[in-house]
Amino acid sequence: MYMMKVPFILPLFLAFVAALQEPLEYAPAASPQQLLAHDPSLPPHHPLTSPPPGADPLLTLHYNLVSISSLSGHEGAITAYLTQYLLRLNYTVSTQVVTPSRSNIHAYIGRQRKTKTLLTTHLDTVPPFIPYSLTHNSTLIAGRGSVDAKGSLAAQLIAVEELRAAGKLGEGDISLLFVVGEETGGEGMRAINALGLEWDTVIFGEPTELKLAAGHKGLLGFTLRVKGKGGHSGYPELGIDANAKLLDILQNLRKLELPASTRYGKSTLNIGRMEGGVAGNVVAAEAHAEVVVRLAAGTPEEFKKLVQGAVDAAPDNGAEVSIEWSSEGYGPVHIDSDVPGFETSIVNYGTDIPNLQGRHRRYLYGPGSILVAHSDHEELRAVDLERAVVGYKTLVLWALGKGGDAGEVGGEGDAGEDACGGG
C-alpha cells in the first residue's frame, strides 16, 4: 500500500468556521436558491464562496456543497453554484436539461470534449435537508450529503485541480460529470446516454470507506396498488378491504425464497412505505406499498415472476391489484478493482454504474460509510476527505497510464471483499 502522511488541516478550518457562525445560523432561514439569486449579473454565491485567505480549499468547498440543499428533484441551486465554480477554474462547461430546472453538468479542459477518463458522481440527496455541522469534538463533519455524495464530489474536484496544477493533466485526459436524480432511479445518468459520449475509464464517486468496490447488488423497485370498495366498518361485508388484500400480498412476499450467491450474499426485500384507507371506522378503498429488492443473484425478470406469484397466491376478496415497476431494474454489478494499493469490498447499495452505457472500465470509490448515509447522523471524518483526494488522484493517473503513487489510498481494516454497506 502507498503510504503518505496526510496533513490534518481541520484546526485551521475550525477557526474559519467559528468566525462565521452567523452565516451558519442564517442558512436555514434562507434557501440556497435565495442565496444564489442575489444578482443575475453576478456569479451565484454562498456565504463561503469567497473564503478568507488561508482557508483550506477542500473543506471550504465541501462546506459550500453540503450547505446547499439539493434534494432529489430540486437540484437547481447546486447546479448553478457548480457551473459558476467550474467556469471560474477555466473549464469548458455544458449543461444538459433533464427536466425543467434540473440539469446535469459536463466539464472538461480546453476544447476536447472527448476524453480518456471520466470522474462522476451525483448532485442530489435524499430528504430531509440537514444543515452542515461539526460533531464529536469537531472531528466529524455532518450534514445531509456530507457523505452521499458531496464528500466524493468535493474530493474529485480538488483531486483534478491538484493534478492540473502539477502539470499531470491536459486537454483530452479528463472530464467531469455531475448528474441529478441518482437517488430516485438514475434519470440524470440515463439521460447522458443520449449524448453519445464514450470513455476508456469511468470513476464513480460513492461512499466506499476509501476502498475500491469490486461489485454491488442489483436493484428492483416496485409499488403495489390495491383498489377495493369503501364502506362502514360496522358492515365490512358490504365493502372490499384494500388493506387486507395488500397485507396478504406483503406476507407472501416476506415468505419468498430469495436468491443468494457466494459473492454478493443474500438478496433482501424491504417494504419501505405503506399507506391505506382514510379512517379507522372506514373499510379501506385503496392501499399501496413501496418495495425495494436488492438482488444478490438472478435477474429482475426472474424476480418479477416471483412478485406476480405472490400477488396471485393472495386470497381473492374482490380487490383489484396492479404492480408499478419503478424501472427495468438490474442484476448484480461487477466493478473493476485492479488498481494496486487499495483494499476492496462488496457493497449492498445501488449506483449509477448500470445506468451509464458503454464498454468502459468502471471503478467505484469515495470517502465515508454508506452505513450512515440517508440517516439523521450522516457524517464523515475530515481526514478521510483528504485521503479521498489522494485516492482519486491515484485512480486518475492509473487510468491514464501515468502511474499512480499519490500517497496512502486504502481504507481502514483488513483487506478483502467484505460487505461495506446496505443502504
Side-chain angles (χ1 to χ4, degrees), residues 126 148 182-185 206 216-222 257-261 264-272 291-300 303 306-307 325-327 329-333 346-352 354-355 370 373-374 421-423:
V126 299
D148 188 11
E182 188 272 345
E183 297 288 4
T184 53
E206 290 282 0
H216 69 69
K217 288 182 178 180
L219 182 70
L220 179 64
F222 60 94
E257 289 287 336
L258 302 180
S261 67
Y264 296 102
K266 297 180 179 180
S267 296
T268 59
L269 183 148
N270 182 62
I271 302 168
V291 183
V292 168
V293 181
R294 308 284 179 173
L295 293 172
T299 65
F303 197 85
L306 293 178
V307 174
W325 306 103
S326 57
S327 66
Y330 55 84
V333 176
I346 296 294
V347 298
N348 295 340
Y349 54 84
T351 72
D352 261 335
N355 293 324
I370 196 66
H374 298 196

Side-chain angles (χ1 to χ4, degrees), residues 37-61:
H38 67 298
D39 184 340
S41 67
L42 298 175
H45 80 283
H46 181 271
L48 291 186
T49 295
S50 300
D56 177 75
L58 173 61
L59 293 181
T60 299
L61 174 60

Side-chain angles (χ1 to χ4, degrees), residues 92-351:
T92 301
V93 182
S94 60
T95 58
Q96 177 195 31
V97 175
V98 178
T99 61
S101 77
R102 302 173 65 224
S103 299
N104 295 328
I105 302 174
H106 182 223
Y108 47 92
I109 302 168
R111 298 182 178 181
Q112 184 59 45
R113 190 182 187 213
K114 178 175 174 55
T115 63
K116 300 171 186 175
T117 301
L118 175 71
L119 271 174
T120 182
T121 190
H122 58 94
L123 301 172
D124 63 316
T125 71
V126 299
F129 174 68
I130 301 174
Y132 180 103
S133 65
L134 298 169
T135 65
H136 294 270
N137 296 320
S138 300
T139 61
L140 296 175
I141 300 171
R144 177 60 75 227
S146 57
V147 173
D148 188 11
K150 294 175 181 179
S152 292
L153 176 54
Q156 287 180 350
L157 287 165
I158 297 300
V160 172
E161 277 307 289
E162 290 186 2
L163 289 175
R164 287 179 71 186
K168 295 183 178 182
L169 290 181
E171 192 169 336
D173 281 338
I174 191 82
S175 52
L176 301 166
L177 176 64
F178 305 124
V179 300
V180 301
E182 188 272 345
E183 297 288 4
T184 53
E187 60 182 333
M189 187 63 80
R190 289 199 303 273
I192 293 297
N193 297 319
L195 301 181
L197 297 171
E198 295 181 355
W199 301 273
D200 297 329
T201 303
V202 180
I203 301 165
F204 295 82
E206 290 282 0
T208 67
E209 299 177 6
L210 301 176
K211 302 175 183 179
L212 277 181
H216 69 69
K217 288 182 178 180
L219 182 70
L220 179 64
F222 60 94
T223 300
L224 293 166
R225 296 195 181 277
V226 182
K227 185 175 182 180
K229 179 182 177 182
H232 195 291
S233 64
Y235 304 89
E237 68 277 7
L238 299 180
I240 299 177
D241 192 343
N243 281 343
K245 181 70 172 184
L246 179 62
L247 289 173
D248 287 339
I249 296 171
L250 294 177
Q251 186 64 16
N252 289 344
L253 288 175
R254 296 182 66 206
K255 294 178 181 178
L256 288 176
E257 289 287 336
L258 302 180
S261 67
T262 302
R263 183 175 179 83
Y264 296 102
K266 297 180 179 180
S267 296
T268 59
L269 183 148
N270 182 62
I271 302 168
R273 186 168 184 265
M274 301 169 56
E275 185 175 350
V278 294
N281 60 354
V282 178
V283 175
E286 295 183 348
H288 73 270
E290 298 174 12
V291 183
V292 168
V293 181
R294 308 284 179 173
L295 293 172
T299 65
E301 290 71 24
E302 292 169 343
F303 197 85
K304 287 179 181 180
K305 293 179 181 178
L306 293 178
V307 174
Q308 188 62 58
V311 171
D312 295 341
D316 184 7
N317 69 347
E320 300 176 5
V321 180
S322 62
I323 307 172
E324 298 176 1
W325 306 103
S326 57
S327 66
E328 294 181 1
Y330 55 84
V333 176
H334 171 77
I335 309 171
D336 295 297
S337 57
D338 56 342
V339 183
F342 290 85
E343 298 178 25
T344 63
S345 68
I346 296 294
V347 298
N348 295 340
Y349 54 84
T351 72

